[in-house]
Amino acid sequence: YTYLLKGREDLRMDERLMQVLRAINSMLQADPSAAARGLATVRCYSVTPLGPRAGLIQWVPSTTSLFAVFRQWQAATLERHGAMERGLSSATPRRNWPADLLRAVFASLAAVAPRQLLARVLWAGGGSAALSWRRLQRYSRSLAVMSCVGHLLGLGDRHPDNILLEGREAGVVHIDYNVCWDKGAKLRVPEVVPFRLTQMLSTALGVGGLEGVFRAACETTFACLRRRREALVGLADAVLSDPGVDW
C-alpha cells in the first residue's frame, strides 16, 4: 500500500471529516435524483492518525494536481519560447526581427492559454470522442458535488496543489481538510469565496459551461442534502463535539 507520512499536523481533523464525506456519499447514493445523475462522486481515502502531530494518509493512485498541470504547460511554453528565440537569434539579431514575426511567435505561445489547460487535458486523455465526453461529464458532476460539499463544510485553502484530477475517470479529488468550518475567513488574508471556481476550472466544463451539467448537479446535490439536513447537522454536531479534536 502506498501512503503518505505527514508530520507537523493533527490528522484527526481529516479523519473525522472523512467520516462526514462518506456519510454524504451514502446520502447521494440513496437519493433517487442524485443516483440517477451519478452524483455520489465524493472521493474519500483512509486517514490514520499516529498521534497529535503525525499520521498516515492513503495515496490516491493515478492523480495529478492542478498545479502540476499548470507547471507542465509553463515548462513547455518556456522551452518553446527558448527554441524559437534561439532559432531566430541564429538567423538575425533580435533588434532586426520584423513585427509580424514577433506577433506570430507570441500568438503560438498563447495558443493554449492557462484557462484552456484543463479542458485540453480532459479531452486529450480520453483516447476517443466518446471517452472524452464521458470524462467531461464526470468532471463536471464531480466538480459540482465537491463545490457544494466544500461550501457546506466551510472548506478553505483550496490552492491548486490541494485539488487533484483522478486518472481516466477525471474525477475531482480534494485533499488536506485542515482548514474547514470557515476557518479560512479568519486568516491574515481572509478567504471570502464559497469554493474555488477559477477560469481554468469553469472553461473545462464544456459547451454548457456553468449553466449545463454543473448547474444541474449543484441543484440536485443541494436539494438532496437539504432533504437530509437533520441527519447532516446531527453528524456535524457529533464531529464538532469530539473532545479529542481541537477544531
Side-chain angles (χ1 to χ4, degrees), residues 3 8 37 39 56 62 103 112 123 148 160 171 211 213 220 236:
Y3 61 88
R8 300 195 299 273
R37 291 184 178 274
L39 298 184
L56 303 177
S62 303
R103 283 194 294 269
V112 182
W123 191 256
C148 296
E211 299 301 324
V213 175
T220 304

Side-chain angles (χ1 to χ4, degrees), residues 13 33 91 94 104 111 117 131 133 166 211 236-237:
M13 301 180 186
S33 299
R94 182 182 299 185
L117 289 180
L131 287 176
W133 177 253
E166 187 175 15
E211 299 301 324
D237 285 341

Side-chain angles (χ1 to χ4, degrees), residues 65-67 156-164 176 191 196:
S65 69
L66 296 183
F67 184 67
D157 194 30
R158 296 300 89 197
H159 57 78
D161 259 335
N162 278 347
I163 304 178
L164 314 181
D176 194 353
E191 296 181 342
R196 187 181 185 93

